Amino acid sequence: MIHIYTIGIALRCEITDSKLKYFVKDTYLNYLMKLKLVPFFINIHNLNNNILGMCDGFLLPGGNDIDPIFYKEENIASQVDTLETDILDKQIIEYAKNNKKPLLGICRGHQSINVFMGGSLNQDIKNHQNKNHLLTIKDIDFSNFMQRNQFISNSYHHQSIKKLAPNFKVLAISEDNTIEMIEHETLPIIGIQFHPEIFKELDVSLKLLDYFALKLSH
């Protein structure tokens, strides 16, 4: 019997015409469903332990920047999202950590994991928006799983990890040593700075999703 895994997705929100709107891009949904992972939408209004307990794992998707107040810096270049988005990410991360639930962060989600697990960010970097980069895998086990040492990734971010959160290891870096993938040393928590859900190289895209999906079955 095949187990169906439910993945809680943190909805993003924006204010349009004085109204708060919740959304998630369909690319994330299509990505999860490639491995028959079932998306379940989470926002600040249905955020409670009963709802989170229904999920086998979590996905924090992309979005705008995290308020630098959460890593004790003044805002010098951050295009901050709503406070609601920061609180939602923070609480999902804390739940995943405390309950040892698998968690995947993509782009902003990757940065959220680093910040809310004790790290910090560079608020503005160059040469990472709308470009492709050669990434080098730094972790031997991850390299063996991917069956490669390097691959080409897309890049849409203007922020990056500055101080790595405690108890995380670096899985991959770009040519300028920007940290592009991280993983907790003991918990099933993974951060990906780029966007595997829109990779043209399907084999790499699915391998990255497989790496997360394996955490669900352990």
Side-chain angles (χ1 to χ4, degrees), residues 122 124-129 131-138 150-151 153-162 170 172-181 193-194:
N122 297 301
D124 196 30
I125 61 172
K126 307 300 181 185
N127 302 318
H128 277 264
Q129 288 190 289
K131 293 188 176 183
N132 292 331
H133 291 296
L134 177 67
L135 301 193
T136 299
I137 297 175
K138 304 299 290 183
Q150 294 180 319
F151 60 93
S153 82
N154 52 39
S155 186
Y156 298 99
H157 58 107
H158 83 106
Q159 297 194 329
S160 65
I161 289 177
K162 179 165 65 176
V170 175
I173 60 171
S174 61
E175 295 157 291
D176 62 359
N177 292 319
T178 295
I179 297 173
E180 297 278 349
M181 284 192 69
Q193 180 60 78
F194 48 92

Side-chain angles (χ1 to χ4, degrees), residues 23-66:
F23 67 95
V24 62
K25 293 182 179 180
D26 62 357
T27 49
Y28 295 105
L29 309 183
N30 295 336
Y31 189 47
L32 291 177
M33 290 187 287
K34 287 182 186 299
L35 290 187
K36 295 182 171 57
L37 304 177
V38 178
F40 182 89
F41 301 143
I42 302 174
N43 63 40
I44 202 74
H45 300 293
N46 70 350
L47 181 64
N48 58 62
N49 284 346
N50 290 332
I51 291 295
L52 296 176
M54 294 169 55
C55 301
D56 298 296
F58 302 96
L59 169 64
L60 302 179
N64 292 325
D65 299 333
I66 301 156

Side-chain angles (χ1 to χ4, degrees), residues 51-158:
I51 291 295
L52 296 176
M54 294 169 55
C55 301
D56 298 296
F58 302 96
L59 169 64
L60 302 179
N64 292 325
D65 299 333
I66 301 156
D67 194 321
I69 195 172
F70 288 106
Y71 47 97
K72 299 179 181 179
E73 289 188 11
E74 293 185 6
N75 187 346
I76 57 173
S78 294
Q79 302 159 14
V80 298
D81 214 319
T82 63
L83 179 61
E84 180 173 311
T85 304
D86 290 338
I87 292 172
L88 180 63
D89 280 12
K90 183 176 186 291
Q91 293 194 20
I92 290 175
I93 291 167
E94 288 178 351
Y95 182 89
K97 177 184 69 174
N98 293 336
N99 293 275
K100 300 181 180 179
K101 289 282 188 84
L103 170 64
L104 173 63
I106 294 178
C107 198
R108 177 207 151 92
H110 160 87
Q111 295 170 5
S112 287
I113 288 171
N114 188 64
V115 167
F116 294 122
M117 293 290 282
S120 66
L121 302 176
N122 297 301
Q123 291 192 41
D124 196 30
I125 61 172
K126 307 300 181 185
N127 302 318
H128 277 264
Q129 288 190 289
N130 301 312
K131 293 188 176 183
N132 292 331
H133 291 296
L134 177 67
L135 301 193
T136 299
I137 297 175
K138 304 299 290 183
D139 182 81
I140 294 175
D141 291 337
F142 183 56
S143 177
N144 290 337
F145 177 85
M146 293 295 292
Q147 298 181 316
R148 65 185 70 219
N149 295 319
Q150 294 180 319
F151 60 93
I152 300 294
S153 82
N154 52 39
S155 186
Y156 298 99
H157 58 107
H158 83 106

